[in-house]
Amino acid sequence: MSKSNLSAMVRTLRYEAAGIMSIELVPAPGRSTPFPAFTPGAHIDLHLPSGLVRSYSLVNAPGEANRYVLGILADPKSLGGSRFIHDNFRVGMTLDISEPRNHFALDETAEHTVLVAGGIGVTPILCMYRRLRALGRHVKLMYCARTAPQAAFVDELEALGGDITYHFDDQHDGKPASLAAFLSGQPAGTHAYCCGPGVMLDAFEAACADAGIANVHIERFAAAPDAPPPATSEGYVVTLAKSGKEIAVPAGATLLDTLLAAGIDAEHSCMEGVCGACETRVLDGCPDHRDSVLSASERAGNKVMMICVSGCKGGRLTLDL
Ligand code: FES
C-alpha cells in the first residue's frame, strides 16, 4: 500500500473502443488535497474495494490540474482488476489512489523520438506524444491493435496531427507490424519507447538492437516472461537504517513479506516486480534483482531495489527504511 494515498472520485466513465473505457478521476468532494502533478509515462495505483491494487498509466496532459484520466481494457484474463472496474465502477463513487509514479519517463530533450504502442499500451504513449507535439519535438508514432474498433483514443491522436502510422492486424492477414522496418534508419541519438504486450516488447527490443538505437525505454503490463522467480532461496539479514532494526529474512520468504510480517510499513502494490511501488534505496550490500522495472544500468548501480521480488546476494543488506 502507499503511505500517501489520495481520495478520488470517478467523475466520468467513457467508452473509448471495444473493451476499453476511460475513467476521469478528480479529488473526492470535501478533500482539500489536490492531485500532485505528473510527467508523461507516469501511472497511479487504484485501490479497489476488494483490496486489489492495480496500476494504470495516465493518459491526459500533465499540465491539467487536478484530474487524472486512465484508459482501462477489460482483460478477458482479468483476475478481478480490470473486469471489476468495467463491471462495477460508477460515476460519483470514491476510492483511494496512489500518487503518480514514473518508471517510464520521457526524455523531453531528445532530438528525435519514436513511440510504439500496442493495444491498451497506447495510454502512456498518447501522453508522451501529446507532450512532444506541444514542445514541437520531432516524433513519430506507430499504434498497433488487432482491429480498428479495438483502437482507443484515435480521435485524440488525430487531433494532434503529425507522423502517425496505424497497423491493424486484421487488415494484414492477422500479421503484426514490422517493427524492424519502422525503426530502421533513425537518426543518431534517437530515443525509442514502447508499451504493449510482452511479445511486442521483445520484438521492439530486438528491432532497436538491430537498428542501433541505444536509448530504449519499455513499460510492461506484467512481469517479463523470462523474469526470474522472486528471490526466496537464501536467508539473509536486513538492517533498516532509519530505526537500526535488524530483521532476518528466512529462506523461502520474500523481503517484502518478511518486512510486512515484522510490522514495517513498506510501500507496495503489484507484488510482482512490475509497478515500482516498493522501490527502496539500498545503502549497503548487493541486491539480487528479480524485477521487470529497473534498467540494466540501474541494476548494475545497486542503488535501489524492488523489495517485493528481489533479494540479497550476500548475507546482509542495509535499506533506507
Ligand atoms: S510492489 Fe510493484 S514492484 Fe514491488
Side-chain angles (χ1 to χ4, degrees):
M1 298 291 196
S2 170
K3 293 170 193 160
S4 48
N5 279 353
L6 306 163
S7 183
M9 182 184 78
V10 177
R11 182 159 72 181
T12 312
L13 297 171
R14 203 172 84 161
Y15 177 93
E16 299 290 353
I20 297 176
M21 72 175 182
S22 62
I23 299 176
E24 181 194 33
L25 299 169
V26 295
R31 304 289 172 146
S32 55
T33 314
F35 283 175
F38 67 95
T39 51
H43 66 265
I44 59 170
D45 297 336
L46 301 188
H47 293 257
L48 303 178
S50 62
L52 278 178
V53 181
R54 288 291 182 267
S55 302
Y56 297 98
S57 296
L58 294 162
V59 185
N60 57 310
E64 292 178 345
N66 254 353
R67 79 180 193 123
Y68 294 151
V69 180
L70 315 169
I72 299 182
L73 168 71
D75 183 349
K77 292 181 283 204
S78 169
L79 299 175
S82 65
R83 188 74 259 170
F84 178 90
I85 291 168
H86 272 254
D87 290 347
N88 295 285
F89 269 34
R90 300 287 184 270
V91 292
M93 70 175 277
T94 58
L95 73 160
D96 279 356
I97 63 174
S98 72
E99 293 190 0
R101 287 189 298 275
N102 199 342
H103 287 280
F104 191 43
L106 179 66
D107 184 338
E108 298 181 353
T109 67
E111 291 287 320
H112 179 63
T113 302
V114 180
L115 305 174
V116 176
I120 194 60
V122 71
T123 48
I125 296 295
L126 167 56
C127 189
M128 290 176 166
Y129 189 68
R130 185 188 290 110
R131 176 67 177 159
L132 292 170
R133 292 287 293 164
L135 292 171
R137 296 279 185 239
H138 198 254
V139 52
K140 70 175 197 169
L141 184 156
M142 174 178 270
Y143 183 9
C144 306
R146 289 207 177 90
T147 67
Q150 290 171 288
F153 305 114
V154 171
D155 289 350
E156 288 188 49
L157 286 168
E158 287 299 296
L160 294 169
D163 186 350
I164 305 176
T165 301
Y166 298 95
H167 179 99
F168 303 121
D169 294 351
D170 68 330
Q171 296 173 6
H172 300 270
D173 295 328
K175 293 198 182 87
S178 169
L179 296 183
F182 184 69
L183 292 167
S184 68
Q186 303 306 311
T190 292
H191 280 249
Y193 299 78
C194 183
C195 183
V199 64
M200 172 183 253
L201 297 177
D202 295 340
F204 174 80
E205 289 186 299
C208 285
D210 289 345
I213 299 173
N215 305 305
V216 179
H217 314 264
I218 62 171
E219 180 159 81
R220 294 187 180 275
F221 305 146
D226 59 351
T232 57
S233 59
E234 308 263 329
Y236 53 96
V237 174
V238 172
T239 302
L240 308 183
K242 287 179 180 157
S243 62
K245 273 187 191 160
E246 289 203 337
I247 295 178
V249 182
T254 67
L255 174 48
L256 176 61
D257 284 342
T258 305
L259 294 178
L260 294 175
I264 309 299
D265 185 19
E267 286 200 43
H268 61 281
S269 174
C270 71
M271 310 284 273
E272 294 178 359
V274 174
C275 74
C278 68
E279 179 176 320
T280 302
R281 285 211 310 138
V282 178
L283 302 179
D284 196 23
C286 186
D288 180 1
H289 295 289
R290 304 290 182 103
D291 63 278
S292 300
V293 176
L294 297 178
S295 65
S297 61
E298 287 170 326
R299 282 158 192 263
N302 284 333
K303 296 275 195 311
V304 296
M305 66 184 290
M306 302 300 150
I307 60 174
C308 62
V309 291
S310 299
C312 172
K313 277 188 176 155
R316 297 193 78 92
L317 274 179
T318 304
L319 301 178
D320 187 20
L321 279 176

